[in-house]
Amino acid sequence: MDTITHQKNTIAVNGFTTIESVYTSAEIKAILTEINKANTDKSTFRKTTDLFAIRQFLKEVPAVNNIVFNAKLKAIIADLFGDDYFVVKSIYFDKPEASNWFVAWHQDLTISVDKKIDLPGYGPWTVKQNQFAVQPPLEILQNNFTIRIHLDDTDEGNGALKVVPGSHLKDIYRPETIDWQTETEHTCSVKAGGVMVMRPLLLHASNRTTNNKPRKVIHIEFSNAELPDGLEWSERQWF
């Protein structure tokens, strides 16, 4: 079985895969250099002792686009999903060495859109920092995918993503109903320069940092779905 077929099968069955050496150390350094130049006074930037985050990352730090979408990443997307996908959301997470921040088990059930419109199958709605988010029909979430670009070596000691393999196949899966007698938790360790590809319906979580090492990740969501009746993806862009 060739590598691409194996990765496709792994995503189909488990809901995720990891791919090493997508970025060089020079590319990682170039991305971080552009991030350090950014104006952090905007509402899309959040900085606390536990977390530095940039929402709408590719829009707020546009100089990283050509580095992030290098030839290797473009080939991964085309080979695994096709050439009709576009970016619909991007976030940069910097979890500092002494962070006590953690994320409980959840699925990524919402999409970011430009306005609120009452539409069948869309809801509930939320608004954060003037950004509308809504839970769309299930088929949109089932076809979307996320790529997490790791800028640091990440393992269970600095909050690597934990997942429940195969949980993306169970539609809406409430964390309080997880049966740990039948489910298995897996930690997705990824070296700096590697990526994790996952389906948004995959149950995932993240622990507190215990090894005094940072964890910097670029989280990018992709879709090929056109939204109905004047509703638009708020961060839609081609690459």
Side-chain angles (χ1 to χ4, degrees), residues 53-216:
I54 307 173
R55 294 188 177 276
Q56 301 185 32
F57 173 65
L58 296 175
K59 286 186 175 182
E60 295 292 358
V61 192
V64 304
N65 277 264
N66 288 337
I67 313 170
V68 166
F69 292 104
N70 65 9
K72 287 185 178 180
L73 189 71
K74 288 181 177 180
I76 288 167
I77 295 169
D79 289 342
L80 294 182
F81 300 102
D83 58 7
D84 61 340
Y85 277 82
F86 44 86
V87 173
V88 295
K89 188 175 183 179
S90 60
I91 308 173
Y92 169 72
F93 294 106
D94 180 352
K95 192 173 185 178
E97 292 90 331
S99 175
N100 283 320
W101 173 59
F102 72 98
V103 178
W105 288 104
H106 69 287
Q107 297 171 297
D108 292 336
L109 296 177
T110 64
I111 59 173
S112 297
V113 295
D114 63 337
K115 64 178 75 71
K116 181 177 180 179
I117 304 176
D118 290 329
L119 294 169
Y122 285 78
W125 290 80
T126 60
V127 182
K128 291 182 180 179
Q129 299 171 327
N130 298 318
Q131 173 65 71
F132 293 97
V134 64
Q135 185 171 321
L138 198 60
E139 58 267 22
I140 290 179
L141 297 173
Q142 289 169 332
N143 287 322
N144 286 1
F145 68 92
T146 297
I147 291 181
R148 293 170 59 87
I149 300 166
H150 287 252
L151 306 181
D152 293 304
D153 290 346
T154 309
D155 57 28
E156 61 184 4
N158 61 338
L161 219 59
K162 303 183 299 180
V163 302
V164 177
S167 53
H168 68 300
L169 299 173
K170 299 182 180 182
D171 298 339
I172 305 300
Y173 193 170
R174 300 300 179 189
E176 62 272 16
T177 68
I178 299 174
D179 181 0
W180 291 113
Q181 300 299 313
T182 60
E183 301 288 16
T184 302
E185 175 186 303
H186 175 79
T187 299
C188 300
S189 298
V190 185
K191 294 289 187 182
V195 304
M196 177 183 176
V197 184
M198 60 180 283
R199 291 295 191 183
L201 290 175
L202 183 72
L203 272 169
H204 55 285
S206 175
N207 286 343
R208 294 179 173 87
T209 297
T210 59
N211 63 4
N212 204 39
K213 294 181 179 179
R215 191 204 71 179
K216 295 185 284 292

Side-chain angles (χ1 to χ4, degrees), residues 31-68:
I31 290 170
L32 293 174
T33 295
E34 296 302 332
I35 290 170
N36 290 332
K37 293 178 184 178
N39 176 8
T40 60
D41 294 334
K42 296 182 179 180
S43 62
T44 46
F45 288 71
R46 176 187 171 193
K47 194 163 189 176
T48 68
T49 55
D50 276 340
L51 173 69
F52 173 43
I54 307 173
R55 294 188 177 276
Q56 301 185 32
F57 173 65
L58 296 175
K59 286 186 175 182
E60 295 292 358
V61 192
V64 304
N65 277 264
N66 288 337
I67 313 170
V68 166

